[in-house]
Structure formats: C-alpha cells, structure tokens
Amino acid sequence: MPDPTYLAANWADVRRRVDEACHAAGRDPAGVTILPVSKTFDAETVRAAMALGLRRFGENRVQEIRDKAAALDGCGIEWVVIGHLQTNKAHDVARLASEVQSLDRPQLAVALHRQLVAAGRAIDVLVQVKTAAEESKYGLEPAQLPAFLDSLRDYPTLRPRGLMTLATHSDDPRVVRGCFRQLRELRDQAAARGHDLQRLSMGMSGDFPLAIAEGATEIRIGTAIFGQRPQPTVIPAAG
C-alpha cells in the first residue's frame, strides 16, 4: 500500500499551487477541477488516493481501466479515458467509463455510439483538438472541429461538454500558452455557432499554471500527485 501521508502531502501541494495560479490569473479556484491521472499506478495506489476523497481518475489505456475496475469493484469510481482510443476498445469504454476526453474522429464517435446504445448508456465526451506542433500528439485538426461538432448531434449517447488538448512540449511559455489560448478561442467560436461547451481540459503537472491563465476548467495531474511513474520490468535475455 502506498504511503497515504505522501499522497496527502502531494495533493495538498497541488491544491495550493492551483489556488495560487487561479489568484494570479484573477480567477476563482472553484472554477478549476483537478483530474488525478492514475495511469501506470496500481489499484492499491488508487485505493490510497480514494482515502483523500478522490473518486474520479484519468487513465490512458482501456486495459488499465478494465484491470483496476475489477480490483476496485463497488468503490464508486468514475473512470475517465484521456488517452488515444482505438475503435475496438469501444465496448469496454461503453461498459466501464464515465467519460471520454479524447474523442478525436468520426469513426470513434460511431463506434462509441453503437456500443453505448447496446449498453443503454450515455456518457459525457470532450473533443480532443490538436493544437501542438509534434506529430506524436493526437487530436482533431482545428479546421475540422465545426463540422465534427455538428455531426455529434446525430449521436445522442455522446454528450459533448467541452474540448481537450495537449500543449507543445516546449521550454518557451509563449508556445505552450499559445496552444491553450487556441483551444479557448475554438471553444468560443463553437459557442457562437450554438454549441454549449463549458469545459476546457488542458494543462498537466508541468504546465498547468499556464493553462489556468488561459482559461482551463480542468487540469490533468499525474506525477505531481502520485510521484514518478513506475518503470516497466526488464527481463534479461537468456544466455
């Protein structure tokens, strides 16, 4: 079992830093939600975090949600998918997840809708938009966002609540803030077209003060809460 004192201290420090960033931006800290990102940490770590009152956790991989949900069955956890999602994982998402923040293409919307209809469920979704320069980052191209949002009206099981992005990995705060600013501007443009998208999920452990300054309503925090992620075990080659 992870040290609960360690997690409590980290959580308190993150809360303090969020409050400071909000005050610096002239914002009410109550307007920023923290999503703890438990990817790569085991079920016992999540259980320890629950002792702090946390019940909502972000995960990159559906396999991890499946494993942890089985180990923590009955705990009332809301699992949030924040990683790139393959369409063949839509069945498990429809069964286990409370929200998807990485909806980024029409094929995924169709697959999720079909599985949610079969499960008799509807979930909140955020559309992931590519605002970063790196090829490795996923997301819908900004120019494609208006038509994609319009198309989601055909899928009543998907409730669009906002937008999500990953900023460019850069030491230049102007570059990082530019990514977050673009997402906010895209949200405002969508609102002018009749889409009620209240939420902006942007900012992680290394850049969340910049995201808050640009209007983030939710930040995704892993390392600053849970510590350095476990390294995979390397099995030496035989011989």
Side-chain angles (χ1 to χ4, degrees):
M1 174 73 74
D3 182 359
T5 304
Y6 171 78
L7 288 179
N10 286 354
W11 175 250
D13 183 62
V14 169
R15 278 270 28 137
R16 176 188 58 78
R17 292 169 60 198
V18 169
D19 290 351
E20 290 176 351
C22 286
H23 292 315
R27 299 184 56 193
D28 183 351
V32 178
T33 299
I34 302 170
L35 176 64
V37 177
S38 50
K39 67 176 185 179
T40 74
F41 290 95
D42 60 19
E44 291 309 306
T45 301
V46 174
R47 194 186 301 277
M50 291 177 64
L52 303 175
L54 307 180
R55 291 294 182 275
R56 189 166 170 266
F57 295 91
E59 290 284 348
N60 269 33
R61 299 176 61 246
V62 177
Q63 177 65 49
E64 284 202 59
I65 293 178
R66 193 162 58 217
D67 294 345
K68 292 173 192 176
L72 298 166
D73 187 36
C75 290
I77 293 175
E78 296 182 9
W79 299 106
V80 180
V81 179
I82 62 172
H84 183 66
L85 186 56
Q86 297 177 327
T87 56
N88 63 4
K89 299 296 191 298
H91 173 73
D92 285 330
V93 172
R95 183 172 59 92
L96 297 170
S98 66
E99 179 178 301
V100 171
Q101 294 197 2
S102 51
L103 180 61
D104 63 355
R105 59 198 189 280
Q107 300 93 321
L108 180 57
V110 171
L112 287 172
H113 176 66
R114 287 175 178 168
Q115 294 297 332
L116 286 163
V117 167
R121 297 184 64 215
I123 63 172
D124 291 349
V125 295
L126 305 188
V127 177
Q128 182 174 357
V129 182
K130 182 176 172 59
T131 62
E134 296 102 327
E135 289 297 323
S136 59
K137 295 262 189 352
Y138 291 101
L140 194 75
E141 292 295 333
Q144 298 173 332
L145 181 61
F148 185 66
L149 288 173
D150 289 344
S151 74
L152 292 182
R153 291 178 171 137
D154 295 331
Y155 309 119
T157 63
L158 303 176
R159 301 183 296 243
R161 300 302 192 205
L163 306 177
M164 185 270 260
T165 200
L166 297 165
T168 298
H169 182 70
S170 172
D171 292 330
D172 186 343
R174 294 170 299 178
V175 172
V176 177
R177 283 191 68 157
C179 295
F180 298 143
R181 185 180 307 115
Q182 182 180 15
L183 195 73
R184 173 170 49 81
E185 291 171 347
L186 288 169
R187 189 272 311 275
D188 294 345
Q189 292 165 15
R193 299 180 66 252
H195 296 285
D196 185 19
L197 304 174
Q198 297 293 322
R199 295 169 54 193
L200 291 177
S201 175
M202 55 189 194
M204 299 186 293
S205 292
D207 58 17
F208 72 79
L210 300 176
I212 288 173
E214 291 296 340
T217 65
E218 181 168 15
I219 56 176
R220 307 180 302 274
I221 307 297
T223 303
I225 296 173
F226 296 102
Q228 293 300 314
R229 302 198 180 282
Q231 295 299 312
T233 302
V234 178
I235 301 175

